[in-house]
Amino acid sequence: MNALIGTYEVKADAKGRLMLPAVLKKQLAPVMQSGFVLKRAVFQPCLELYPMPEWEKLMQKVNKLNRFNKKNDAFIRRFTAGVKVVEVDNTGRLLIPKDLLSFSGITKQTVLASAVNIVEIWDKDKYEKAIDDAALDFADLAEEVMGQDDVADGLS
């Protein structure tokens, strides 16, 4: 699957259903039939939508952790807490389960933000705040993460 592109504003209905924008559905078309995994994000109050092939790759890494190590066991339990298998229905809607709606604080105005191979699902106000808060440090973060002298990868 290619990297996903775009940030989209959508409305959640009273049942927690979101209509996926046509542009995003088109990008997800190759994996639509496989289904998705929806989970709590680790660092932010948002949800992460993993296409099933991406989730399976991640689970291969997690499965290599030694469950007889307390920290690994605690990590696995917390990382997979609230994980749900979800599908996009025939009309292009995604139903967010109530417990995940509660965790994320999603009420009505929602942002779907591509994050390379997954989609983050945010309450719009929380997303705007996270972006505004991060803007202050982004130049330093970009330099630290992407500013190495690795010319071989073609990044500039």
Side-chain angles (χ1 to χ4, degrees):
M1 185 176 86
N2 293 330
L4 299 168
I5 299 171
T7 302
Y8 311 92
E9 290 186 24
V10 298
K11 290 182 180 168
D13 69 13
K15 295 181 180 180
R17 292 177 298 204
L18 307 173
M19 180 67 72
L20 292 182
V23 174
L24 187 57
K25 274 196 310 192
K26 186 175 180 181
Q27 292 178 65
L28 292 170
V31 295
M32 198 70 79
Q33 293 301 319
S34 301
F36 299 89
V37 170
L38 189 62
K39 70 174 287 303
R40 303 170 188 191
V42 174
F43 299 109
Q44 297 291 339
C46 69
L47 303 175
E48 296 172 337
L49 182 69
Y50 286 80
M52 193 59 74
E54 295 298 325
W55 178 255
E56 289 169 354
K57 281 192 241 177
L58 180 59
M59 286 298 97
Q60 287 175 359
K61 291 179 182 179
V62 171
N63 197 37
K64 291 178 182 173
L65 297 173
N66 180 350
R67 295 288 307 246
F68 287 96
N69 176 302
K70 267 185 173 178
K71 285 185 179 180
N72 291 353
D73 190 54
F75 168 79
I76 292 167
R77 184 174 307 104
R78 292 188 68 193
F79 184 75
T80 58
V83 169
K84 303 281 192 294
V85 174
V86 295
E87 294 180 358
V88 175
D89 70 15
N90 291 337
T91 61
R93 294 179 304 183
L94 176 73
L95 174 64
I96 300 175
K98 297 258 184 244
D99 61 325
L100 295 178
L101 279 174
S102 178
F103 168 81
S104 62
I106 291 171
T107 52
K108 191 168 183 100
Q109 298 298 329
T110 307
V111 172
L112 304 177
S114 60
V116 186
N117 60 347
I118 67 170
V119 176
E120 293 180 340
I121 304 174
W122 289 82
D123 171 78
K124 184 180 179 195
D125 292 338
K126 289 183 180 183
Y127 178 77
E128 295 297 337
K129 183 177 182 336
I131 293 299
D132 289 346
D133 290 350
L136 301 174
D137 308 325
F138 188 67
D140 291 337
L141 180 61
E143 181 179 15
E144 185 177 329
V145 172
M146 299 298 289
Q148 288 81 26
D149 293 330
D150 295 333
V151 183
D153 65 7
L155 296 176
S156 56

